[in-house]
């Protein structure tokens, strides 16, 4: 099974990415997922279910520790494969 996660962390800062946003992006970038797209208003990543779920767990924990007050997330099954 393959999954796609879309997420944002808050509070927003349009002048400079806040620490919680930087941490969340670092987590998904380092997770070895197949497709990662980061942007100022949302981020997406996709890959095998196990890798995506592990990355989601880590990004939630680390972004909250780094000061996020809200993490909005959507998780979708996008296809079959290994995982």
């Amino acid at each position: 099974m393959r999954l796609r996660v879309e997420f944002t962390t808050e509070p927003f800062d349009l002048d400079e990415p806040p620490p919680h946003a930087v941490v969340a992006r670092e987590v998904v970038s380092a997770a070895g997922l197949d497709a990662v797209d980061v942007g100022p208003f949302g981020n997406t990543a996709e890959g095998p279910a196990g890798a995506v779920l592990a990355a989601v767990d880590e990004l939630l924990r680390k972004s909250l520790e780094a000061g996020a007050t809200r993490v909005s997330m959507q998780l979708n099954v996008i296809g079959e494969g290994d995982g």
Side-chain angles (χ1 to χ4, degrees):
M1 177 186 316
R2 293 182 54 78
L3 301 176
R4 176 184 298 123
V5 61
E6 301 174 44
F7 68 93
T8 58
T9 60
E10 296 179 40
F12 293 115
D13 183 341
L14 295 178
D15 295 327
E16 182 177 325
H20 57 80
V22 173
V23 166
R25 291 173 184 173
E26 288 173 351
V27 167
V28 295
S29 295
L33 301 175
D34 300 332
V36 175
D37 183 28
V38 297
F41 300 107
N43 309 282
T44 61
E46 60 185 63
V52 171
L53 294 173
V56 165
D57 177 62
E58 186 177 359
L59 87 84
L60 288 171
R61 293 174 190 278
K62 289 188 174 181
S63 61
L64 292 170
E65 289 171 1
T69 57
R70 174 185 284 205
V71 179
S72 300
M73 185 172 298
Q74 180 172 324
L75 190 66
N76 293 297
V77 174
I78 58 172
E80 296 300 316
D82 53 11

